[in-house]
Amino acid sequence: MKTRTLCLAAAALMAAALALPLWGIAMSAPQYPDETLSLRITRAGIAGDVHEVTTLQHYVGISFPTDLPELRWATWIIVVLTASLVAAAFAGAGAVGRVLRGVCAVTLLAFLLGSAAAVQARLYRVGHQRDPKAPMRALHDFTPPLIGPVRVANFTVWSFPHVGAAFLVAAAALTVAAARRRDDSGGPRSGDRLVRNLGADKAVA
Amino acid sequence: MKRHPVILVGLTVVATLAAAHMIGCGATRSARSISAEKVYVAPGELDKYYAFLSGGQSGSVFVVGIPSGRLIREIPVFEPRAAYGYAMHETDPRRVLLEETGGLWGDTHHPMLSEKNGVFDGRYLWINDLANGRLARIRLDYFEADRIIKIPNLQGAHGIAVVSPDTKYIVVNGEFEQPTDGLVTNPAPYTSVVAFVDPESMQVKFEVRVNGNIDIADTSKDGRYSFSTVYNLEQGRDMGSMIQYDRDAVAAIDIPAAEKAVAAGKGQARNGVPILDPEENPGVLTLIPVPKNPHGVNVTPDGRYAIAAGKLSPTVTIIDAHTLKIVAEPEVGLGPLHTTFDDRGNAYTSLFLDSQVVKWNIDKAVKGTGDYIVDRINVHYNIGHLQAVGGDTTHPAGDYLLALNKLSKDQYVPVGPDLPENQEIIDISGEKMRMLASFPTPPEPHDATFIAASVLKPIVKQVYTPTDDAVQAGTESVVRTGPHAVAVNMTLIRSAYTPDSFEVKEGDVVTLKVTNVETIRDMIHGFALPDHNLNIALPPGYTKAITFDAGKPGVYWFYCTNFCSALHLEMRGRMLVQPRDSTVTLTDWHAGANVKGQVVPGVPSTGDKQ
């Protein structure tokens, strides 16, 4: 696959991720047979069984985040990265193109790591910043893992990256692959070349 | 070591007896366990069929799972039912309708399912009220009566039937004969009518006059004829004169011929319904003579025969359903009342006096061969209707049969003098019938019908779609609409009412509209108001409006009657009825001003000001 194609594919995946659910929550309990409650965190907000989950949460004093500022800055980063990847696709095999692709790869990886940390922090707050006046006393502080289940009262709550997040990871993989190429016909470049590209980036700056 | 012969013999005898005992016990257990397995539906597993049993004088329909015999639901129809908040309040439109059409009770007899291509499609169930001449339609998406009509010009709406194969009409038989002009002083013999009701509009399209008491109904599978048993052709008015004739009749009404006569204006309109007089319209009605005072009539699944049960005669009369000629009249036992069918050419007739179900082969009985009786099984006791799964359709299942017995006597632990009714589930899949299980019900199922759970699965809804006039969360209000009138728009959801308190004044008429804004199944809430004779039940998505007098000054706690959540007991609120001259307000939700609530769903919106 050509470097340009890799970059454009990565850009397309990132653009698509903007419209797709990024994170998912699935909740099951004995009295919800065959009707697992699910929430999808999308760029536009939270979708799914919001009504039911909102109804339930006041029993245990979990405050449902109605506003997620993380999503706003994530949107901007995704938009800028998408544009950068398109630019990188047409920046040619020269130094400018290589640097641009390298910057994209590193930024995207950093963005993914940062997002994971942000999600985990948010999950921690959900489990710890609870209303002390909540009616139910049967709950201790909890931290849902980034990926996986946690027990909250009578519910087993699963947290997991949704399709949009998978697209971002795939975009990152394609971008890294693109950044590791010398030119369109070349094979994979060694890691040190990537580092050198970064150095070039600094030099340019 | 030498053994004593006596001991040896003794040991042998003991061992033999023990072995025989074990075999005996094993055989008994085995028969019981075979029966038990056929009706055992493990917790969490679902029944294969719904059975709809008429509630008789309960005025309702019982929904029972088959084969388990578990009572799953009662559908109130002609009688108010507090538990479902059905027709409980004076201003409830359903109660008003019941009062207008004949009263707050009914005697339901024959549940009939809508058909498409000769099989049940799961859209509607019709049920009659014998006592007050009514017909109700139950929607099977919500298991709820949506139409109730009074049938004009008849008293005693007894047998009903759906006109096969596509539910063109509901046939309703008038059992209690009346003066033809409705005038008590008319000395002429009383007559009655068979009514033909449109299934969608529930309008009575026409009626056909029949002399005598019109009893049980069925229709030919091609929709040509309706068949009704008629007793008392004598037109007697006391029992002695009702049983004089040797033969009464099955009345076959040619439906296309009747439609043609009605279209030609041959009907005499009475109470808005054209009545056809058969004497003036030859060809509409054929009376087929059968032994006197017959009871049930049932058409075979292949549509060839209509079988009338003798009741006082130990016979069934087999009538060709196309030529209307009698082809055979075999003896089946004492007190034959009703017949149902399997998928293998066998008929099953209930024998009221013998307390039996008799299984007989239709072809053999028609041919007159002697061995048409296949099997008999005892039932407990005095069976009325019986119904095999799909026996009314062109495709009987041939697996289960329900015997609806009139007396239970010794079948259940004694519960005082008012005994339950006894239904028995019989396996008819083999050559011999096998009694499987029984279950009691309140009084008093007459007839039953079945539909496969798989047919209703895509149809049944478990949450109401909110109507346009539903109260939305966030739009709750308490509004004074007149000097003595207050309108309260309320929502409820786990575990709170919004508003959770409202104020009115002594002498106010309160119009309360309340919506359950839950969206999840089985989250039913109630609204009970003490000392106001008021309870309503609100399944998810449901809206109900009621009007009531505020009553004496005081604090009245309304509360949730359907256990809903961990805060169910806390789910309550106050109606504060202030003296007329009071000038203070106690809450944000007083009727002195138009207050809109700021609502967080599920969280009590306001507290006391004081």
Side-chain angles (χ1 to χ4, degrees):
Chain A
M1 202 184 283
K2 290 186 176 181
T3 305
R4 177 175 294 174
T5 316
L6 287 172
C7 287
L8 288 176
L13 285 169
M14 297 204 51
L18 285 173
L20 290 167
L22 295 166
W23 211 261
I25 305 279
M27 301 168 60
S28 65
Q31 54 274 76
Y32 290 83
D34 309 325
E35 47 194 354
T36 298
L37 301 173
S38 69
L39 296 175
R40 301 182 302 281
I41 289 95
T42 68
R43 203 175 52 79
I46 298 165
D49 298 311
V50 179
H51 184 268
E52 183 63 15
V53 175
T54 314
T55 306
L56 290 169
Q57 67 178 2
H58 79 272
Y59 290 101
V60 287
I62 295 174
S63 59
F64 205 85
T66 48
D67 178 48
L68 293 169
E70 299 95 321
L71 283 174
R72 280 198 296 279
W73 54 255
T75 301
W76 282 111
I77 294 173
I78 291 171
V79 167
V80 169
L81 273 171
T82 305
S84 305
L85 278 165
V86 173
F90 295 101
V96 175
R98 287 202 304 276
V99 169
L100 198 47
R101 287 189 286 275
V103 169
C104 281
V106 170
T107 314
L108 186 43
L109 286 171
F111 168 64
L112 287 180
L113 284 172
S115 297
V119 170
Q120 184 65 74
R122 177 60 74 176
L123 291 169
Y124 175 89
R125 271 177 284 169
V126 163
H128 287 76
Q129 295 178 359
R130 294 182 297 114
D131 180 358
K133 288 182 179 172
M136 294 288 293
R137 289 270 160 255
L139 202 59
H140 302 288
D141 285 352
F142 62 94
T143 308
L146 198 56
I147 300 171
V150 66
R151 184 88 179 167
V152 182
N154 53 331
F155 278 89
T156 301
V157 180
W158 276 82
S159 164
F160 55 91
H162 220 295
V163 184
F167 273 37
L168 291 178
V169 171
L174 294 179
T175 309
V176 169
R180 282 164 61 89
R181 290 192 175 192
R182 183 189 295 265
D183 52 43
D184 280 351
S185 59
R189 295 181 62 102
S190 60
D192 60 343
R193 184 66 193 167
L194 183 65
V195 175
R196 248 177 286 148
N197 275 345
L198 285 173
D201 184 27
K202 277 180 190 153
V204 169
Chain B
M1 202 169 109
K2 225 179 153 186
R3 290 183 180 90
H4 198 283
V6 173
I7 291 174
L8 272 179
V9 169
L11 280 174
T12 310
V13 168
V14 167
T16 309
L17 283 174
H21 181 73
M22 282 170 71
I23 290 164
C25 282
T28 312
R29 260 204 309 276
S30 171
R32 290 172 74 96
S33 63
I34 288 168
S35 294
E37 258 179 42
K38 282 179 182 281
V39 294
Y40 181 66
V41 178
E45 289 177 5
L46 301 181
D47 280 294
K48 190 174 178 191
Y49 301 108
Y50 293 84
F52 296 98
L53 280 66
S54 57
Q57 50 274 45
S58 292
S60 58
V61 171
F62 303 140
V63 184
V64 170
I66 296 292
S68 72
R70 300 180 292 194
L71 177 66
I72 300 170
R73 168 96 159 101
E74 183 183 12
I75 308 171
V77 182
F78 296 109
E79 189 173 301
R81 198 69 93 246
Y84 297 112
Y86 178 79
M88 283 299 292
H89 192 259
E90 287 154 18
T91 57
D92 185 324
R94 291 178 296 195
R95 188 182 184 99
V96 172
L97 178 63
L98 286 179
E99 282 174 338
E100 281 172 356
T101 54
L104 296 178
W105 82 285
D107 182 13
T108 62
H109 277 237
H110 304 106
M112 293 290 162
L113 288 158
S114 55
E115 291 181 17
K116 185 84 188 165
N117 298 323
V119 293
F120 300 142
D121 61 4
R123 293 186 67 207
Y124 296 123
L125 178 84
W126 284 273
I127 187 82
N128 65 315
D129 167 19
L130 192 154
N132 304 299
R134 290 183 284 193
L135 181 70
R137 184 177 73 186
I138 292 165
R139 285 175 61 158
L140 291 180
D141 46 359
Y142 290 100
F143 279 56
E144 180 181 270
D146 78 325
R147 297 295 296 275
I148 294 173
I149 61 161
K150 177 96 174 169
I151 312 273
N153 311 324
L154 67 72
Q155 196 173 89
H158 192 190
I160 70 167
V162 162
V163 175
S164 296
D166 294 318
T167 319
K168 187 160 191 195
Y169 300 104
I170 317 306
V171 180
V172 183
N173 287 346
E175 184 166 24
F176 302 151
E177 66 279 31
Q178 290 287 301
T180 49
D181 53 7
L183 294 174
V184 180
T185 50
N186 188 340
Y190 297 167
T191 67
S192 196
V193 295
V194 177
F196 290 80
V197 183
D198 183 88
E200 292 299 333
S201 70
M202 288 290 280
Q203 283 181 323
V204 182
K205 290 296 184 186
F206 61 92
E207 293 175 340
V208 177
R209 176 163 288 137
V210 177
N211 297 336
N213 303 57
I214 319 170
D215 198 4
I216 300 293
D218 202 355
T219 74
S220 62
K221 296 298 183 203
D222 58 2
R224 172 81 187 272
Y225 295 108
S226 72
F227 298 105
S228 304
T229 45
V230 183
Y231 64 93
N232 189 22
L233 285 187
E234 301 91 330
Q235 293 173 283
R237 297 176 194 177
D238 57 71
M239 193 203 282
S241 51
M242 288 180 183
I243 52 176
Q244 295 300 310
Y245 290 176
D246 193 41
R247 289 182 94 81
D248 280 305
V250 166
I253 293 170
D254 186 329
I255 297 170
E259 286 171 333
K260 217 177 195 178
V262 171
K266 301 280 180 64
Q268 296 167 327
R270 197 172 146 220
N271 295 317
V273 178
I275 304 179
L276 290 175
D277 187 331
E279 287 186 22
E280 294 164 14
N281 296 282
V284 169
L285 174 69
T286 306
L287 291 178
I288 305 153
V290 298
K292 69 178 176 185
N293 298 68
H295 192 48
V297 60
N298 300 90
V299 175
T300 54
D302 59 8
R304 288 180 69 187
Y305 306 114
I307 295 171
K311 189 170 81 178
L312 305 182
S313 161
T315 54
V316 288
T317 304
I318 306 175
I319 300 159
D320 187 304
H322 301 291
T323 66
L324 309 185
K325 300 275 186 268
I326 295 172
V327 296
E329 203 161 82
E331 280 201 23
V332 291
L334 293 179
L337 290 188
H338 300 279
T339 301
T340 189
F341 308 98
D342 66 17
D343 55 341
R344 305 180 300 280
N346 297 304
Y348 300 79
T349 300
S350 57
L351 301 174
F352 179 78
L353 297 175
D354 279 336
S355 282
Q356 281 186 337
V357 171
V358 56
K359 174 183 181 181
W360 53 280
N361 183 276
I362 300 165
D363 277 346
K364 286 182 178 177
V366 170
K367 282 175 191 148
T369 59
D371 59 343
Y372 59 91
I373 300 289
V374 182
D375 190 24
R376 292 175 189 275
I377 190 168
N378 294 332
V379 292
H380 311 85
Y381 302 92
N382 291 91
I383 180 173
H385 275 269
L386 81 179
Q387 204 56 255
V389 175
D392 277 349
T393 71
T394 53
H395 290 82
D399 47 7
Y400 299 103
L401 180 147
L402 193 67
L404 294 96
N405 305 301
K406 298 298 182 190
L407 306 182
S408 63
K409 298 277 186 183
D410 60 349
Q411 297 292 297
Y412 301 100
V413 288
V415 288
D418 205 335
L419 275 62
E421 316 306 326
N422 186 29
Q423 334 302 330
E424 291 177 310
I425 304 168
I426 297 168
D427 176 10
I428 56 166
S429 60
E431 181 77 355
K432 292 277 182 193
M433 292 177 276
R434 176 192 286 274
M435 181 61 71
L436 297 179
S438 67
F439 61 92
T441 56
E444 167 185 328
H446 288 264
D447 196 1
T449 187
F450 308 88
I451 194 163
S454 57
V455 174
L456 281 192
K457 195 176 182 209
I459 294 173
V460 178
K461 294 180 167 57
Q462 295 188 284
V463 175
Y464 284 96
T465 307
T467 49
D468 291 341
D469 67 338
V471 183
Q472 311 274 335
T475 68
E476 298 87 347
S477 61
V478 177
V479 180
R480 178 159 293 281
T481 52
H484 296 278
V486 174
V488 178
N489 288 325
M490 178 183 277
T491 62
L492 43 81
I493 190 166
R494 280 158 290 166
S495 304
Y497 297 90
T498 306
D500 65 338
S501 296
F502 62 89
E503 286 172 61
V504 297
K505 287 192 169 170
E506 179 184 16
D508 279 345
V509 172
V510 181
T511 299
L512 170 70
K513 184 159 82 173
V514 55
T515 298
N516 179 351
V517 294
E518 299 278 4
T519 55
I520 198 106
R521 69 176 166 183
D522 208 10
M523 205 42 75
I524 303 158
H525 297 296
F527 179 95
L529 187 61
D531 302 326
H532 285 74
N533 190 30
L534 194 59
N535 176 49
I536 57 180
L538 294 144
Y542 199 72
T543 298
K544 181 126 176 172
I546 45 172
T547 303
F548 58 95
D549 291 326
K552 294 178 194 160
V555 174
Y556 300 95
W557 285 96
F558 50 85
Y559 70 98
C560 181
T561 34
N562 268 72
F563 208 117
C564 54
S565 61
L567 291 173
H568 167 71
L569 294 166
E570 291 79 359
M571 185 169 173
R572 54 197 176 104
R574 291 169 304 156
M575 178 174 78
L576 301 162
V577 182
Q578 294 216 37
R580 176 71 21 206
D581 55 5
S582 168
T583 51
V584 296
T585 57
L586 303 169
T587 73
D588 287 344
W589 299 92
H590 54 84
N594 298 353
V595 177
K596 278 200 166 185
Q598 293 297 313
V599 179
V600 181
V603 177
S605 58
T606 56
D608 278 17
K609 279 180 171 177
Q610 298 178 330

